[in-house]
Amino acid sequence: MKKNSIKKISSFLLAAAIAVSAMSGCGTSKRASDAESGTAASGAAATLKDTFTYAQGADPRGLDPAMVDDGESAKVICNIYEGLLKYNKDSTEVEPGLAEKWDISSDGTKYTFHLRKGVKFQDGTDFNAEAVKTSIDRQLEPKVTDDMPYSSFVFGSIKAKTGVKEVKVIDDNTVEIDLFSPETPFVKNVAMVMAAPIVSPAALKKYNNNLNEHPVGTGPYTFVSWSKGQNIVLKRNDNYWGTKAKTENVVFKFITENSARVIALTSGEADAIDGIDSTVVSQITGAGDKLFTSEGMTINYMAYNVTSDKFKNVEARKAFSQAVNVPEMVKSLYKDYAVPATSIMPSFMNPNTNQVKQTSFDKNAAKTGLAKAGIKSVNMITYSNPRPYNSVGGQVLAEAIQGYLKDVGVTCNIKTYDWTTYKDVVKKGDYDVCFYGWNGDNGDPDNFMNLLDNQDPSMNVARYNNADYHALINKGLVTKDGAERDKIYTQCEQKAADENVWLVVSHSKNLAAYSPKVSGYYIHQTGITPFAGVSVSK
Amino acid sequence: MIKYTIKRILLLIPVLFGVSLVVFLIMRVFSPDPAPVVLGEHASREAMQAWRNAHGLNDPIVWQFIDFLKNALTGNFGTSYYTNQPVMKEIMARFPATVELAICAILFASVFGVLLGVVSAVRKNTAVDYASTILALIGVSMPIFWLGILLIILFSGTLHILPSTGRIQPMLQPVGGTGLYLWDTLTSGDFEAFGDAARHLIMPTLALAMYSLAIITRMTRSSMLDTLNQDYIRTARSKGISSHRVVKHHALRNAMIPITTVIGLQFGSLLGGAVLTETVFAWPGIGSYTVQCIQKSDFPVVQAVVLIIATVYVLINLIVDLIYAFLDPRIKYSKEEG
């Protein structure tokens, strides 16, 4: 009996061993570090030294700048690739990147970029005008594919005769980009992390026009590996043309749960984390870690449906807005991690909109105005989950406003949906009031202000349609950067405020945390996280 | 036995058909439109319409289902809408993590569950029995999510002795093996990596195993009590066989049949992906990934995952049934009985 059992158990173990070995092919594996260098397992030396570990909430969608539209991808991509231009560290003004300088023709339709010489892609091939042309042409008709979400935004569409008409290689180091019509925001588009970075033509050929898992750019870090759901490892690009990155390795860890990310930081498993909210601040600072905050390129707002019976009248919208004490509400909901909005554009963007006057809190006036408009109840729709511009989620914000309106005798009936369903519901337009927000793309005022001129109801949720406003937007699009253009967008801001199309609520702050051992860490206003200047002391 | 096995495998067909139909209808009828998620906020309505046409989402639902079945039968689950990568590649990048965690959890739950259950039954109404009852009650009642957070706070946040998230340190990560890190690191002789992978597994295993441990403990206890009251046990005792031998060879083996069923069912559900455990410990498995795909209306991935999990579940049940014969030679899967 005993012998039998032993026999059975050993046959089972043997069978299991054979099965698992068969699964693995030869039955052996290498470490990620060794596989990369081609050496055998090398003991403790393989543990990462000189490493910056960054924990974010999710995997990137991909690592091909033409094929992504999410913030998680942007944080990795901005360390591997570069564009012709880049944003200044402290603002959304552009400065030289892979192009040393650029000229714009007097009619605003020809952009000539003079490229940096001696730059190489991480695969060893040369960066030149041909590479710029390849990177842009793949995102224009007829080559553009439907998995390139930002292509039309950054480079326009030949079919629709918007944006880039043609990319011309003048010589190895000069490229001319012709536009169909003048578009002042184009220069900002070229600095974006989505679509605009220049990718290696050789890599595109090798990987069948898809670099999502094989990114090759000219940036300060080279891609090493991506374990789905776990981490991405980057290594310093020692052939980088500019100042070399301070830290040798960067590891992006993906930790979905907010509190788990915080523990990863406080226990030393991560050197910095993002995607946190005000509820965990005391836990972070209590453990001796540091907070990073900066005003984000966002706007969090409540929109009136100006085509609805209740709010087609500007006086009704004004009275409703007067009922809400925005600064008090923002302080209560977001603590110090959002700035009460006084304009649609964040304060760091040009033009400065300090002089724009929004409708201010006046409970008595609200009561009178709403009674005059005969408004006793309104239908509100909102989203359930937190958004980058609204860390508490749409429902909490809607309920706060519901409270203010109750004080002036108006009942708000709130319907809440998950975000994806919500976007479908918004398109139908069956609401008096809805909640939305915007994450800026390129730091240009047109990117914020044209939301109220958009024909797509899922973008222009207020369904505002005004000929004067439309004329201002069109004028701003072709006017060169400077005082005249600033004036146009200030007028747009004031018009939107006067007509009370939105109740602007807040600009979120970028909130992140890092270990005191880390220096040089920051989140740019556009949300990207360049790590070349980050170092970790031992 | 062979006929029975074939018959059970053939039964997979209606089960998988039913499962595909239900998941297909739920995803296609009740899920939001994937086009805005895939194409982004800047996509025009025309572009979205063109994308839906290209992916057959504007076809009649019956045709869509037939297309899906045809492709699934040839093992072609398509590409993920969101990442544009082959679905099977996306799934296989994550499935080994779920399998490894499920195996560890079920091993832990089975060994300790059976042990505790037997001790409770043999020492009925003693302090040991009461303690195991309380443990089982806690295991069944405590939400995994909360238990996971408590474990992280204690072992990572306070004591700093275990890593809170992930499967292994990035540079120790084995590549090119089975994806089961314990096995891969052991077979390649990389004991440093093996130790690191084992440390990462401890807390997720504990959190995930707790519920199964409780169920197995209670099932073992009641099954053992039932068996220990049988006449043949009394006969064995009266023949002077030692108490240890009676429990081990006469009682436990007979009590194991219902316990095996429970272990099999528990293992099947653990393989389905432990969403909460995977989320808390950032464990890169199939459960949390599927939830993300449901939120993004990534139909091809969700449909493929559900089909694969259903297949695994049915096969595990079959294996459990076959194990009965091993445990109890009186069970024969003859034609009459089948």
Side-chain angles (χ1 to χ4, degrees):
Chain A
M1 178 75 184
K2 213 169 190 179
K3 261 186 185 172
N4 259 348
S5 305
I6 293 168
K7 223 172 164 182
K8 274 178 189 169
I9 290 168
S10 25
S11 338
F12 174 75
L13 286 176
L14 191 66
I18 292 168
V20 180
S21 298
M23 274 168 72
S24 62
C26 59
T28 57
S29 60
K30 278 182 175 179
R31 283 178 180 179
S33 52
D34 301 328
E36 218 268 322
S37 61
T39 59
S42 51
T47 18
L48 281 180
K49 282 179 186 158
D50 193 18
T51 298
F52 175 61
T53 305
Y54 191 68
Q56 61 183 46
D59 275 87
R61 181 175 181 176
L63 296 176
D64 185 330
M67 295 181 160
V68 298
D69 62 346
D70 58 315
E72 307 297 18
S73 300
K75 290 177 221 164
V76 185
I77 282 175
C78 72
N79 290 290
I80 301 174
Y81 299 94
E82 293 170 303
L84 293 174
L85 305 179
K86 63 177 183 177
Y87 293 110
N88 178 282
K89 184 173 178 272
D90 303 311
S91 73
T92 52
E93 295 307 304
V94 292
E95 53 186 41
L98 287 173
E100 284 176 316
K101 55 182 181 152
W102 67 99
D103 312 311
I104 306 171
S105 65
S106 54
D107 67 351
T109 59
K110 285 187 200 309
Y111 286 69
T112 308
F113 292 95
H114 304 277
L115 309 181
R116 214 172 277 283
K117 290 172 192 160
V119 176
K120 284 199 181 291
F121 287 105
Q122 291 136 4
D123 59 6
T125 56
D126 290 333
F127 161 75
N128 51 28
E130 204 54 61
V132 177
K133 183 173 168 57
T134 306
S135 284
I136 300 175
D137 278 354
R138 70 188 281 245
Q139 299 183 64
L140 295 172
E141 288 102 348
K143 292 183 180 165
V144 65
T145 52
D146 61 15
D147 49 10
M148 296 180 170
Y150 260 87
S151 302
S152 62
F153 177 86
V154 173
F155 298 117
S157 155
I158 290 178
K159 217 193 268 176
K161 290 195 177 349
T162 59
V164 177
K165 187 179 177 186
E166 193 182 0
V167 182
K168 293 177 184 164
V169 174
I170 306 296
D171 61 43
D172 229 22
N173 301 306
T174 315
V175 68
E176 181 188 297
I177 300 178
D178 296 351
L179 306 186
F180 281 102
S181 54
E183 281 181 30
T184 306
F186 182 71
V187 76
K188 293 261 171 70
N189 290 357
V190 173
M192 282 175 64
V193 170
M194 306 296 182
I198 308 301
V199 302
S200 157
L204 282 178
K205 206 171 169 188
K206 187 173 172 189
Y207 297 112
N208 198 23
N209 198 33
N210 183 336
L211 302 186
N212 267 338
E213 296 191 355
H214 310 280
V216 182
T218 59
Y221 280 100
T222 306
F223 172 77
V224 175
S225 64
W226 180 0
S227 301
K228 293 277 173 90
Q230 297 185 67
N231 55 59
I232 282 178
V233 180
L234 308 182
K235 197 172 170 44
R236 181 165 51 214
N237 174 8
D238 288 325
N239 298 318
Y240 185 56
W241 59 269
T243 311
K244 308 272 188 295
K246 286 185 175 168
T247 305
E248 190 181 348
N249 306 291
V250 168
V251 174
F252 289 87
K253 271 188 164 185
F254 312 125
I255 304 177
T256 316
E257 181 53 33
N258 213 343
S259 51
R261 240 176 2 257
V262 173
I263 290 173
L265 174 73
T266 54
S267 65
E269 288 172 60
D271 297 311
I273 59 172
D274 66 15
I276 52 175
D277 58 37
S278 58
T279 58
V280 295
V281 164
S282 58
Q283 193 184 345
I284 288 165
T285 49
D289 291 307
K290 292 183 170 180
L291 280 182
F292 172 87
T293 58
S294 67
E295 191 177 345
M297 198 163 62
T298 65
I299 177 68
N300 174 27
Y301 62 86
M302 186 195 84
Y304 298 102
N305 180 353
V306 299
T307 62
S308 69
D309 286 342
K310 283 178 183 149
F311 291 116
K312 61 185 174 200
N313 182 335
V314 66
E315 291 306 320
R317 301 197 292 262
K318 186 177 176 185
F320 196 98
S321 293
Q322 282 173 321
V324 185
N325 187 339
V326 173
E328 178 188 79
M329 179 177 71
V330 170
K331 178 84 182 163
S332 157
L333 292 181
Y334 307 103
K335 311 287 182 275
D336 292 325
Y337 304 107
V339 184
T342 55
S343 58
I344 292 174
M345 285 183 281
S347 61
F348 60 83
M349 275 175 64
N350 258 342
N352 188 314
T353 46
N354 280 348
Q355 67 271 43
V356 174
K357 201 172 174 330
Q358 296 286 346
T359 299
S360 52
F361 175 60
D362 185 339
K363 199 169 158 182
N364 292 331
K367 227 179 225 174
T368 317
L370 287 164
K372 200 174 157 195
I375 294 177
K376 288 184 179 149
S377 71
V378 295
N379 292 326
M380 276 180 169
I381 58 166
T382 191
Y383 49 93
S384 52
N385 48 313
R387 297 286 301 156
Y389 39 78
N390 178 11
S391 60
V392 299
Q395 185 170 357
V396 176
L397 177 59
E399 284 167 357
I401 289 180
Q402 184 186 43
Y404 282 109
L405 267 296
K406 196 179 167 197
D407 284 352
V408 293
V410 174
T411 309
C412 298
N413 304 309
I414 303 172
K415 277 190 185 164
T416 309
Y417 304 88
D418 70 87
W419 180 248
T420 320
T421 313
Y422 182 63
K423 288 206 289 187
D424 279 346
V425 176
V426 163
K427 274 188 211 162
K428 291 176 189 147
D430 188 18
Y431 54 86
D432 298 319
V433 160
C434 77
F435 291 84
Y436 233 60
W438 183 247
N439 268 321
D441 294 295
N442 57 6
D444 191 89
D446 175 74
N447 184 234
F448 275 78
M449 302 314 296
N450 78 15
L451 289 171
L452 285 169
D453 188 44
N454 202 307
Q455 296 307 303
D456 181 352
S458 66
M459 301 290 271
N460 183 359
V461 292
R463 295 167 179 251
Y464 181 61
N465 187 4
N466 182 287
D468 294 341
Y469 193 87
H470 180 69
L472 282 171
I473 290 293
N474 280 350
K475 198 174 166 193
L477 198 61
V478 298
T479 307
K480 284 184 183 166
D481 268 330
E484 195 193 337
R485 193 165 190 251
D486 289 353
K487 202 173 144 195
I488 292 167
Y489 288 110
T490 310
Q491 281 176 293
C492 285
E493 281 271 13
Q494 192 57 63
K495 189 159 181 59
D498 290 345
E499 299 217 1
N500 283 278
V501 190
W502 291 355
L503 172 69
V504 288
V505 176
S506 61
H507 304 293
S508 63
K509 282 188 176 177
N510 292 318
L511 185 56
Y514 58 99
S515 153
K517 290 189 290 184
V518 171
S519 59
Y521 169 77
Y522 76 101
I523 302 180
H524 188 258
Q525 281 115 345
T526 55
I528 61 169
T529 50
F531 292 152
V534 173
S535 59
V536 187
S537 65
K538 290 180 181 135
Chain B
M1 179 83 165
I2 293 169
K3 269 188 185 169
Y4 174 81
T5 311
I6 293 170
K7 192 177 162 189
R8 285 291 301 270
I9 289 172
L10 286 177
L11 270 175
L12 258 176
I13 298 168
V15 169
L16 294 183
F17 180 82
V19 167
S20 358
L21 185 65
V22 170
V23 72
F24 187 88
L25 286 178
I26 289 176
M27 288 305 289
R28 301 291 166 115
V29 178
F30 299 109
S31 289
D33 178 13
V37 183
V38 177
L39 302 185
E41 304 206 347
H42 294 288
S44 63
R45 272 179 283 184
E46 294 74 32
M48 290 197 200
Q49 197 58 22
W51 183 86
R52 284 186 210 105
N53 284 334
H55 288 81
L57 295 176
N58 285 335
D59 295 345
I61 193 94
V62 178
W63 285 118
Q64 289 186 43
F65 184 58
I66 291 171
D67 273 349
F68 163 67
L69 281 186
K70 271 198 303 198
N71 288 328
L73 279 175
T74 56
N76 174 17
F77 290 102
T79 53
S80 156
Y81 288 165
Y82 191 64
T83 63
N84 214 14
Q85 297 293 318
V87 167
M88 281 315 286
K89 188 181 167 193
E90 292 283 3
I91 292 175
M92 289 321 290
R94 294 162 172 96
F95 203 48
T98 296
V99 172
E100 185 166 65
L101 180 57
I103 290 175
C104 289
I106 204 66
L107 279 179
F108 179 84
S110 306
V111 170
F112 288 96
V114 170
L115 203 66
L116 271 176
V118 169
V119 174
S120 297
V122 174
R123 307 214 184 287
K124 193 183 160 195
N125 294 336
T126 63
V128 183
D129 186 24
Y130 297 141
S132 96
T133 306
I134 291 169
L135 184 74
L137 193 67
I138 293 172
V140 171
S141 331
M142 189 183 275
I144 288 181
F145 193 80
W146 188 51
L147 175 63
I149 295 280
L150 286 184
L151 289 172
I152 290 177
I153 290 172
L154 177 65
F155 291 109
S156 302
T158 312
L159 300 173
H160 299 294
I161 53 173
L162 288 175
S164 63
T165 53
R167 290 182 74 189
I168 196 166
Q169 284 185 51
M171 281 296 115
L172 296 174
Q173 195 169 313
V175 287
T178 58
L180 307 175
Y181 286 178
L182 287 183
W183 176 266
D184 290 342
T185 50
L186 200 61
T187 50
S188 63
D190 191 348
F191 297 109
E192 186 194 1
F194 177 80
D196 193 60
R199 286 178 67 237
H200 279 82
L201 259 165
I202 294 173
M203 286 199 290
T205 300
L206 271 178
L208 187 60
M210 209 39 131
Y211 181 81
S212 303
L213 174 77
I215 302 278
I216 294 168
T217 304
R218 297 310 290 168
M219 180 54 78
T220 307
R221 182 181 180 276
S222 60
S223 183
M224 276 296 285
L225 283 175
D226 193 35
T227 315
L228 285 169
N229 286 328
Q230 298 289 324
D231 289 346
Y232 70 89
I233 296 290
R234 199 166 38 246
T235 309
R237 286 190 202 280
S238 64
K239 279 164 72 182
I241 299 172
S242 72
S243 177
H244 173 78
R245 196 172 164 79
V246 169
V247 169
K248 194 177 161 198
H249 293 282
H250 296 258
L252 183 59
R253 185 150 183 186
N254 281 298
M256 274 309 281
I257 292 175
I259 301 168
T260 311
T261 311
V262 169
I263 292 174
L265 290 173
Q266 289 295 317
F267 186 49
S269 62
L270 293 183
L271 276 178
V275 177
L276 295 178
T277 314
E278 288 180 5
T279 306
V280 175
F281 294 101
W283 192 263
I286 204 76
S288 51
Y289 174 62
T290 310
V291 172
Q292 287 165 23
C293 291
I294 291 171
Q295 287 165 349
K296 290 181 178 125
S297 296
D298 200 340
F299 301 156
V301 179
V302 178
Q303 285 159 192
V305 168
V306 173
L307 263 189
I308 290 169
I309 289 172
T311 309
V312 169
Y313 199 86
V314 173
L315 288 178
I316 285 175
N317 279 342
L318 173 62
I319 292 167
V320 168
D321 286 353
L322 297 179
I323 287 174
Y324 285 165
F326 172 77
L327 291 171
D328 186 350
R330 289 170 302 176
I331 297 177
K332 292 270 182 282
Y333 295 107
S334 64
K335 207 173 172 184
E336 296 75 37
E337 284 165 311

